[in-house]
Amino acid sequence: MSNYKTSTVGLAEQFKALSNPHRLALFQRLMTCCVPGTQCGLDEAARFCVGDLGEGLDIAPSTLSHHLKELQRCGLIQTERQGKNVHCWIDPAVLDKLSHFFAVR
Amino acid sequence: MSNYKTSTVGLAEQFKALSNPHRLALFQRLMTCCVPGTQCGLDEAARFCVGDLGEGLDIAPSTLSHHLKELQRCGLIQTERQGKNVHCWIDPAVLDKLSHFFAVR
DNA sequence: TCTATAGTTCGAAATATGTCGAATTATAAA
DNA sequence: TTTATAATTCGACATATTTCGAACTATAGA
């Protein structure tokens, strides 16, 4: 447990979150705002709200909510209420960590 | 959604394979042979056989076999019989792909 | 205050997964 | 040919996951 995010169990939880096609699609949408020059999580214009994220995925709101909760539980995404909406975003450090895991160098 | 299927569903299957702590541990062991100067899959000395891979994981041989089959099914690892043993390895291209998926910038 | 919108929680049902032991196959060695 | 070792397949069972609809909470605006 020295570092939850990089331990085998913590990593496995993140991969489990990404193992569902719906959740992976949600994550990929959030990734699109993580581009050069953009500060994910700081630039609110680059965030998605829950409803918009689920657009076109054809799942019930309760299912969408459940999936986002799973993504958050394992540390893959962040959420914050903004009035009637709840905004979601990815901390770029999360992507860095996962990218490096597979980069054996 | 053909694009949705090829990119998202295939990836989700690989993440599902890595979502089990035992399978992730197996994959991590195989990753250790993917180091600079080593050609995974070509240098047989750098491969693990099934029995050695499961060493210390405390799972039944049948379970080990099942997990490796899952890793292979989604394209994460390769296997080849070598006499009494079956050798396993990772194609470095697989690691590149996954690393790049998370490398947004 | 009342209403509409956005999202969450809960309980249930169908399906998938992880695991084992027993039986089986493949190979090498005696 | 017989035996030992390495690994897989199969059947079973307990547990986990995915999904929904109904009910609920939170907020903004009229």
Side-chain angles (χ1 to χ4, degrees):
Chain A
M1 282 341 149
S2 48
N3 191 340
Y4 176 80
K5 295 275 167 38
T6 50
S7 72
T8 298
V9 172
L11 262 175
E13 292 219 336
Q14 295 193 319
F15 291 139
K16 172 166 292 180
L18 297 176
S19 77
N20 176 278
H22 285 151
R23 280 197 299 266
L24 181 55
L26 293 168
F27 189 77
Q28 283 184 288
R29 283 194 185 177
L30 285 175
M31 279 177 72
T32 63
C33 80
C34 287
V35 291
T38 307
Q39 289 285 58
C40 292
L42 297 176
D43 181 1
E44 298 188 11
R47 295 184 188 175
F48 279 84
C49 74
V50 170
D52 292 345
L53 259 181
E55 197 61 43
L57 282 187
D58 208 35
I59 54 177
S62 56
T63 304
L64 173 60
S65 187
H66 165 73
H67 283 324
L68 291 173
K69 198 175 168 186
E70 285 296 297
L71 287 169
Q72 187 182 37
R73 197 179 54 77
C74 66
L76 283 175
I77 70 170
Q78 311 277 124
T79 66
E80 187 179 61
R81 181 168 277 277
Q82 206 80 191
K84 268 196 298 190
N85 304 295
V86 169
H87 284 186
C88 309
W89 72 96
I90 300 173
D91 176 353
V94 166
L95 297 177
D96 286 345
K97 248 173 199 165
L98 287 166
S99 177
H100 283 126
F101 173 75
F102 293 107
V104 186
R105 281 175 310 246
Chain B
M1 296 216 211
S2 60
N3 186 33
Y4 173 79
K5 280 216 165 179
T6 52
S7 61
T8 303
V9 172
L11 261 175
E13 292 218 339
Q14 295 193 319
F15 291 138
K16 173 164 289 180
L18 297 176
S19 77
N20 177 275
H22 285 152
R23 279 196 300 265
L24 181 54
L26 293 168
F27 189 76
Q28 284 184 288
R29 284 195 184 176
L30 285 175
M31 278 178 72
T32 63
C33 80
C34 286
V35 291
T38 306
Q39 290 285 61
C40 294
L42 296 177
D43 181 1
E44 298 187 9
R47 295 184 187 175
F48 280 84
C49 73
V50 170
D52 292 345
L53 259 181
E55 198 61 42
L57 250 45
D58 208 34
I59 53 178
S62 55
T63 304
L64 173 60
S65 188
H66 164 71
H67 283 323
L68 291 173
K69 198 174 168 187
E70 285 297 296
L71 287 169
Q72 187 181 36
R73 199 180 52 78
C74 66
L76 283 175
I77 70 169
Q78 312 277 124
T79 67
E80 185 179 65
R81 181 169 276 275
Q82 207 81 191
K84 268 196 297 190
N85 303 295
V86 169
H87 285 186
C88 310
W89 72 97
I90 300 174
D91 175 353
V94 166
L95 297 176
D96 286 345
K97 236 177 205 169
L98 287 166
S99 178
H100 283 125
F101 173 75
F102 293 107
V104 184
R105 59 188 87 206

